[in-house]
């Protein structure tokens, strides 16, 4: 964005105080208060699972899985881990569950069932089916040792079942809602199993908090939260498109959409969170972005470059007209495409914001540090932004409606 908006820093300060004092605001102190004991236990249990399993099936929906999946895919852990993660219980698709069961055939596996309430239908159905497969493979006693439940520490159906069957458990702290829970055992345990440096995620979050919330006048986080509200309130932009040039960020986008959508979309207002992966989507949504309805603003995400990118090879007598690109790294080409896209969309009347998260030490550019930073950045910006809209960032009364209708159709008593 070229224009500077006036930010009410006193209000920003008050909203941060409100987060701190909110009974559902415990995620805000995780970066500095993460329990060393919990951290050790996560790593110990993760090492055990890694030793005896080729797969960990993470069963959960919404905030109970999107954070872990976002980081898993962004870091490309699937390519390096000894124990792969599979994500189940995030739909009601029998096809998808069959696919997962097929993939597990002939492999050792464990289950991490994640549900704060312990009563959500999608994960509960998937858990029944996968638990049955686990018992068939290992017998009752060994199967119970291969189930890790992440749930409410005090009550709920999953809590009670875990207690009765002696599952290993981790807590979803009562003061943290699903979509703010990625930096608890909800996200950290499966990620630790997959070989993620989970300390780096927390360190990144800590760095974000220190750098962004010490001097609010210098804070990109505050600028982002207030600018998006300004664009909504003053410029009739009710759609925000999160844009990046890395396909591995697809699930980061999904996590971000859930965070903002469930936090802000209330009382018939809020910014609709959408996302694109360029340059793929320049060939599908590019036309709309350039020239469609102007109720959109666009937020670009940029990370450090990977250290050893592919380069365009030199080929004699090639007919593809790419001589001018020979020897140049793909990162340079992608960078230029990003700058060009911002320029084009600016000139098409779209307000664009860019968030750059750099970790120059990282080989891959996208690292635990940069993702931890960004997770805390968006969580805090989202809570502030929702409060600017005058809604509670931490509840989700609207998602109950479809459940009521569905349970009545299914004959639940
Ligand atoms: O952010 C949220 O609170 C929701 O997305 C929940 O995480 C999701 O509905 C799953 O709920 P539960 O963990 O109780 O199964």
């Amino acid at each position: 964005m070229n224009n500077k908006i006036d930010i009410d820093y006193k209000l920003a300060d008050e909203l941060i105080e409100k987060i701190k004092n909110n009974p559902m605001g415990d995620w805000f102190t995780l970066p500095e208060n993460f329990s060393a004991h919990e951290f050790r236990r996560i790593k110990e249990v993760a090492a055990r699972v890694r030793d005896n399993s080729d797969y960990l099936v993470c069963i959960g929906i919404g905030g109970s899985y999107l954070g872990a999946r976002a980081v898993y895919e962004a870091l490309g852990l699937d390519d390096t881990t000894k124990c792969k993660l599979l994500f189940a219980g995030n739909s009601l698709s029998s096809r998808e569950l069959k696919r997962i069961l097929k993939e597990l055939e002939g492999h050792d596996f464990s289950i991490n069932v994640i549900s704060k309430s312990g009563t959500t239908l999608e994960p509960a159905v998937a858990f029944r089916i996968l638990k049955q497969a686990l018992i068939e493979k290992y017998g009752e006693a060994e199967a119970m040792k291969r189930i890790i439940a992440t749930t409410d520490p005090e009550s709920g159906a999953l809590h009670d079942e875990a207690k009765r069957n002696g599952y290993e458990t981790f807590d979803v702290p009562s003061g943290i809602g699903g979509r703010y829970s990625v930096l608890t055992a909800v996200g950290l345990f499966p990620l630790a199993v997959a070989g993620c440096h989970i300390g780096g995620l927390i360190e990144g979050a800590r760095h974000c908090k220190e750098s962004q919330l010490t001097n609010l006048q210098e804070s990109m986080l505050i600028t982002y939260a207030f600018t998006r509200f300004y664009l909504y309130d003053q410029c009739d932009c009710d759609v925000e498109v999160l844009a990046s040039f890395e396909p591995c960020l697809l699930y980061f986008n999904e996590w971000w959409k859930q965070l903002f959508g469930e936090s802000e979309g209330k009382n018939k207002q809020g910014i609709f969170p959408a996302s694109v992966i360029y340059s793929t989507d320049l060939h599908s949504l590019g036309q709309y972005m350039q020239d469609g309805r102007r109720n959109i603003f666009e937020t670009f995400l940029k990370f450090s470059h990977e250290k050893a990118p592919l380069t365009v090879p030199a080929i004699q007598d090639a007919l593809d007209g790419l001589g001018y690109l020979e020897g140049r790294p793909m990162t340079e080409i992608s960078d230029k495409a990003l700058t060009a896209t911002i320029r084009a969309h600016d000139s098409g009347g779209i307000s664009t914001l860019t968030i750059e998260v750099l970790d120059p030490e990282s080989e891959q550019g996208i690292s635990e540090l940069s993702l931890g930073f960004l997770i805390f950045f968006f969580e805090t910006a989202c809570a502030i932004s929702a409060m600017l809209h005058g809604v509670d960032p931490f509840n989700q009364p609207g998602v109950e409606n479809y459940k009521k209708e569905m349970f009545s159709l299914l004959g639940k008593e």
Side-chain angles (χ1 to χ4, degrees):
M1 215 170 108
N2 298 323
N3 310 349
K4 276 221 153 237
I5 63 155
D6 278 334
I7 292 176
D8 182 343
Y9 289 104
K10 191 164 164 293
L11 175 61
D13 212 23
E14 282 166 19
L15 296 180
I16 291 167
E17 278 308 303
K18 276 195 174 169
I19 298 174
K20 282 187 200 158
N21 297 323
N22 192 297
M24 293 307 289
D26 288 357
W27 55 271
F28 189 73
T29 50
L30 281 175
E32 67 275 12
N33 278 354
F34 202 93
S35 145
H37 173 256
E38 176 81 338
F39 189 79
R40 250 196 326 274
R41 212 165 66 81
I42 287 175
K43 294 194 63 145
E44 277 163 20
V45 181
R48 200 173 75 216
V49 170
R50 241 194 338 266
D51 267 1
N52 69 10
S53 305
D54 304 317
Y55 287 97
L56 175 69
V57 189
C58 306
I59 303 178
I61 195 164
S64 288
Y65 94 105
L66 280 166
R69 187 159 191 177
V71 174
Y72 184 70
E73 302 211 350
L75 294 176
L77 294 174
D78 203 46
D79 298 335
T80 51
T81 181
K82 178 190 167 289
C83 177
K84 286 183 188 294
L85 303 187
L86 291 175
F87 296 93
N90 51 63
S91 75
L92 288 167
S93 164
S94 150
R95 247 186 219 105
E96 175 60 10
L97 209 46
K98 274 189 193 159
R99 189 193 64 75
I100 288 171
L101 286 165
K102 183 122 195 59
E103 185 159 353
L104 291 172
E105 270 172 24
H107 292 285
D108 282 311
F109 70 101
S110 299
I111 293 175
N112 181 203
V113 53
I114 309 162
S115 176
K116 184 169 185 182
S117 63
T119 52
T120 309
L121 185 68
E122 293 88 338
V125 169
F127 184 41
R128 268 205 183 199
I129 293 169
L130 284 154
K131 187 169 57 177
Q132 201 176 40
L134 197 69
I135 293 171
E136 273 165 24
K137 186 172 172 75
Y138 295 103
E140 185 89 20
E142 172 65 13
M144 298 303 114
K145 291 190 198 142
R146 286 175 172 267
I147 297 174
I148 299 100
T150 308
T151 189
D152 187 277
E154 313 268 310
S155 60
L158 182 56
H159 164 271
D160 296 347
E161 177 174 334
K163 234 176 148 189
R164 191 185 62 193
N165 294 341
Y167 305 153
E168 184 77 60
T169 56
F170 287 107
D171 295 346
V172 188
S174 17
I176 302 182
R179 59 191 174 276
Y180 292 86
S181 69
V182 49
L183 297 180
T184 69
V186 169
L188 297 184
F189 172 68
L191 287 168
V193 171
C196 172
H197 169 38
I198 55 171
L201 289 172
I202 296 175
E203 201 183 322
R206 198 180 309 128
H207 178 49
C208 178
K209 191 165 184 181
E210 280 163 15
S211 66
Q212 300 299 307
L213 299 182
T214 307
N215 177 2
L216 299 190
Q217 319 250 351
E218 299 289 317
S219 166
M220 172 103 170
L221 187 164
I222 298 297
T223 305
Y224 171 65
F226 276 74
T227 303
R228 62 194 301 285
F229 183 69
Y230 170 86
L231 289 167
Y232 173 79
D233 197 45
Q234 301 291 318
C235 311
D236 291 330
C237 290
D238 55 10
V239 178
E240 177 177 12
V241 175
L242 187 70
S244 66
F245 275 69
E246 286 297 339
C248 68
L249 294 176
L250 188 73
Y251 268 89
F252 190 85
N253 288 351
E254 296 305 310
W255 170 81
W256 176 89
K257 284 195 276 196
Q258 195 234 351
L259 177 67
F260 278 86
E262 266 194 357
S263 299
E264 223 172 50
K266 285 160 201 169
N267 299 346
K268 308 285 176 279
Q269 55 172 325
I271 299 168
F272 184 83
S275 65
V276 289
I277 297 286
Y278 292 149
S279 63
T280 311
D281 286 331
L282 286 173
H283 298 260
S284 69
L285 294 169
Q287 171 62 38
Y288 194 102
M289 294 305 293
Q290 188 65 40
D291 210 17
R293 274 193 71 201
R294 299 297 76 178
N295 63 331
I296 296 171
F297 66 98
E298 205 172 12
T299 301
F300 286 85
L301 281 187
K302 258 184 103 172
F303 287 84
S304 296
H305 284 163
E306 56 187 307
K307 291 241 157 73
L310 294 173
T311 54
V312 179
I315 297 178
Q316 248 187 357
D317 302 329
L319 297 175
D320 55 14
L322 293 186
Y324 69 106
L325 291 179
E326 284 177 2
R328 289 164 80 173
M330 284 188 76
T331 41
E332 185 198 338
I333 303 171
S334 177
D335 251 7
K336 295 285 188 277
L338 186 143
T339 308
T341 307
I342 293 176
R343 276 190 202 166
H345 291 180
D346 265 341
S347 71
I350 293 261
S351 294
T352 59
L353 315 170
T354 304
I355 298 172
E356 211 170 335
V357 202
L358 302 179
D359 180 2
E361 303 292 303
S362 152
E363 280 300 310
Q364 296 307 321
I366 300 174
S367 64
E368 282 89 344
L369 270 183
S370 51
L371 289 170
F373 186 102
L374 212 46
I375 285 167
F376 192 79
F377 181 99
F378 280 132
E379 286 177 343
T380 309
C382 175
I384 292 175
S385 185
M387 287 190 281
L388 287 172
H389 280 89
V391 299
D392 179 349
F394 306 123
N395 66 2
Q396 54 281 333
V399 296
E400 293 310 314
N401 293 16
Y402 96 89
K403 291 186 193 167
K404 252 190 236 146
E405 297 285 347
M406 176 177 68
F407 288 139
S408 130
L409 289 174
L410 288 170
K412 184 182 179 194
E413 287 166 11

